[in-house]
Amino acid sequence: MERCKCLALVGGGALLGSISTIFLLKLLQTQKSVFSSFIIGSNTFCNLTKSDKVVSDDRLKDEIVSEHLTRNIQFFGFESQQKVSASYVVVIGLGGVGSHAASMLLRSGIGKLLLVDFDQVSLSSLNRHAVATRADVGIPKAQCLKEHFLSIFPECQIDAKVILYDSSTEEEILSGHPDFVLDCIDNIDTKVALLAACVRRGLKVLSATGAGARADPTRIRIADLRESTNDPLSRSVRHRLRKDHGIEGGIPVVFSLEKPKVKLLPFKAPSGEEENPSDYQIVPGFRVRIIPVLGTIPAIFGQVMASYVLTDLAGLHVQTEPVVNFDMDHYHILHQRLIEHEESMYGTAMQVQVDVEEVMYIAKELWHGRSAREQIAKDVGRGMWRSINELMLVRWDCTKPASISNLILLKFKEVDEHESRTLDDIQEKEPEFYSRVTTVLKRAENDFGL
């Protein structure tokens, strides 16, 4: 009898303990939800100003937030991280590229994010999406990201819009003075409309070109839209922006120098026979045929975009690798021309203090494969290869040796005029050009510790 009583007491205690545990867990979950809502609500209230900007004066003083961002603070410095945490970024297109870009912006402490996409998470998109799981299939991508993001960095003010970008939604999406807009759209019409609107509004924008059908991460670059090559999407966007909006360039893009490995797959109807893809478009103008995608490449595109935006917002200048389509033979030619010109001009090549590798640095890193007098790229792709036929290195200051910090790249027709003038004359009559060149040459001094 006593044993039965003991067992009953133990069983009752265990049951009561289980019920209590379940009750406490539910209570904690409720409190956590309320607390998160309070944080988000408080941020929304505290972070809005007349211009809808984010204010983060106190955010980095929070112990949890500062620990979360401690590596960023160590990298950028406290004041620069404050700039990041006070910034507002709009990400449009939340697939393989956009989801990774938005995810890293969030993890890096961006103060406010607007996530825009009209599409839903699909099973086939899980090979490249940043956070989506099988449980998210069928959920709008914007909603999916927001829900995951709130568990990663709840201090961020996140807004999600399940809408398509077009002229009717432009104001809703681009108002509020965002510090940066990320274009991760893969539809030409929508992409062109967004980029033109950003230029018209004076908004900073970074655009992603085609990430599908590629496999080489070492060939991903950031450059002006004019310089993006081997990318059919870039080519179409350039043409449309120039034709419809008079925009020649000035828009930074992330693109791959790699030629696509595979083509669009043929479109097959439910019957299994090939049919016209446009007959099955849900949204007019949007691609129905499938581009094969290795998930790593769009993910890297997104990471590159996030890094570009974060360093810009923090005020950290990063010199992106220029797109220069020269090979070693071209640099040998430039080196030989320099020697021949020195012998012709000064009677000796003894003051040439650079080798072929340093010529490559000067032509590629300093002058981006074009004349020092050209601020924007005019010759790209094969045109750059042909341009080598009219370029040569000459001294900036004729009184100093032909060193790595005293050589500029000019066209043949520009050389005589340059060498007939003094630096004082150039500084007086062309102060902007003089300042730009001396700044570039100063970079060479810093890079080589001169």
Side-chain angles (χ1 to χ4, degrees):
M1 181 63 71
E2 290 297 324
R3 185 179 180 184
C4 289
K5 286 182 181 180
C6 288
L7 288 173
L9 286 171
V10 171
L15 179 61
L16 183 60
S18 299
I19 294 171
S20 300
T21 301
I22 293 170
F23 174 76
L24 286 171
L25 284 172
K26 288 186 175 181
L27 181 61
L28 285 171
Q29 287 174 351
T30 303
Q31 288 178 336
K32 182 180 179 181
S33 175
V34 171
F35 180 65
S36 297
S37 300
F38 172 74
I39 289 175
I40 296 163
S42 297
N43 286 340
T44 304
F45 177 78
C46 296
N47 291 337
L48 295 181
T49 66
K50 290 181 180 178
S51 63
D52 206 26
K53 288 288 187 180
V54 181
V55 179
S56 64
D57 290 343
D58 297 325
R59 182 172 297 175
L60 295 182
K61 295 177 183 178
D62 181 276
E63 186 177 350
I64 294 176
V65 173
S66 64
E67 180 62 24
H68 177 136
L69 299 173
T70 184
R71 297 298 187 271
N72 286 60
I73 294 170
Q74 291 166 349
F75 184 82
F76 287 132
F78 187 82
E79 289 185 2
S80 292
Q81 181 60 40
Q82 275 191 318
K83 295 177 184 177
V84 172
S85 297
S87 297
Y88 169 34
V89 178
V90 177
V91 184
I92 306 173
L94 304 173
V97 175
S99 64
H100 282 274
S103 177
M104 281 313 303
L105 290 173
L106 174 92
R107 292 178 183 276
S108 299
I110 286 290
K112 180 180 177 184
L113 276 173
L114 172 58
L115 309 170
V116 181
D117 200 313
F118 74 96
D119 203 2
Q120 298 175 339
V121 177
S122 64
L123 267 173
S124 64
S125 68
L126 296 184
N127 82 315
R128 58 194 180 278
H129 200 276
V131 297
T133 67
R134 289 189 179 181
D136 297 314
V137 172
I139 295 174
K141 291 178 180 177
Q143 179 186 336
C144 167
L145 279 182
K146 181 176 181 179
E147 290 177 359
H148 283 281
F149 282 6
L150 288 176
S151 66
I152 297 170
F153 190 63
E155 290 78 14
C156 180
Q157 182 188 330
I158 304 169
D159 191 10
K161 293 185 183 293
V162 187
I163 54 176
L164 173 69
Y165 177 87
D166 58 24
S167 58
S168 66
T169 58
E170 176 188 323
E171 180 63 23
E172 182 180 355
I173 293 171
L174 297 182
S175 62
H177 308 285
D179 297 289
F180 236 109
V181 177
L182 267 62
D183 159 37
C184 306
I185 302 168
D186 59 5
N187 171 260
I188 294 174
D189 292 342
T190 310
K191 198 176 200 70
V192 169
L194 172 62
L195 294 176
C198 288
V199 171
R200 186 176 67 251
R201 288 171 172 260
L203 299 175
K204 285 185 177 181
V205 61
L206 176 62
S207 178
T209 63
R214 291 169 172 86
D216 185 356
T218 68
R219 297 176 68 80
I220 298 172
R221 299 287 187 274
I222 299 178
D224 190 278
L225 179 62
R226 300 182 191 90
E227 300 178 66
S228 56
T229 56
N230 292 336
D231 181 61
L233 180 59
S234 292
R235 193 179 307 120
S236 299
V237 170
R238 277 198 307 271
H239 174 73
R240 288 280 303 278
L241 283 172
R242 183 172 59 250
K243 179 176 176 249
D244 299 343
H245 303 280
I247 298 172
E248 294 286 343
I251 299 172
V253 297
V254 179
F255 70 102
S256 174
L257 293 168
E258 181 185 11
K259 290 184 178 180
K261 297 291 186 200
V262 289
K263 297 180 180 179
L264 281 168
L265 298 180
F267 180 79
K268 293 186 178 181
S271 63
E273 297 182 0
E274 289 190 25
E275 293 196 25
N276 184 0
S278 60
D279 294 338
Y280 291 83
Q281 285 177 332
I282 299 173
V283 179
F286 273 73
R287 188 184 70 245
V288 175
R289 291 172 66 190
I290 296 171
I291 295 180
V293 180
L294 179 64
T296 55
I297 300 302
I300 296 170
F301 265 57
Q303 301 286 343
V304 169
M305 295 183 84
S307 184
Y308 181 92
V309 171
L310 288 166
T311 52
D312 182 273
L313 293 174
L316 176 65
H317 177 68
V318 175
Q319 184 69 46
T320 56
E321 183 178 2
V323 180
V324 178
N325 296 322
F326 292 164
D327 58 28
M328 286 307 296
D329 287 342
H330 290 130
Y331 299 120
H332 278 285
I333 290 171
L334 287 174
H335 188 246
Q336 186 60 36
R337 280 181 190 159
L338 171 62
I339 292 172
E340 292 173 358
H341 182 71
E342 285 281 312
E343 291 174 342
S344 171
M345 188 75 179
Y346 303 101
T348 177
M350 292 295 289
Q351 293 202 50
V352 173
Q353 299 179 358
V354 293
D355 57 22
V356 174
E357 285 192 5
E358 289 166 332
V359 164
M360 180 171 67
Y361 166 82
I362 295 167
K364 181 178 180 179
E365 298 292 336
L366 297 185
W367 303 112
H368 298 187
R370 56 180 181 262
S371 167
R373 288 197 166 274
E374 291 182 2
Q375 290 186 261
I376 58 175
K378 294 181 180 179
D379 297 306
V380 296
R382 292 183 183 275
M384 182 169 281
W385 274 60
R386 291 190 292 270
S387 72
I388 194 70
N389 296 323
E390 56 181 28
L391 289 171
M392 63 184 294
L393 289 167
V394 297
R395 300 186 196 186
W396 169 244
D397 184 344
C398 65
T399 67
K400 296 179 180 179
S403 66
I404 201 163
S405 60
N406 190 41
L407 286 170
I408 62 173
L409 200 58
L410 291 176
K411 291 182 177 179
F412 293 159
K413 61 185 179 182
E414 298 167 339
V415 172
D416 288 342
E417 181 188 355
H418 173 72
E419 292 183 329
S420 67
R421 301 173 66 185
T422 65
L423 291 186
D424 289 339
D425 181 54
I426 295 174
Q427 185 176 16
E428 180 184 349
K429 295 178 179 177
E430 298 181 90
E432 185 178 337
F433 172 65
Y434 179 89
S435 176
R436 182 159 51 82
V437 171
T438 53
T439 299
V440 172
L441 295 179
K442 185 67 176 176
R443 178 191 161 198
E445 289 183 6
N446 294 334
D447 286 353
F448 283 81
L450 302 177

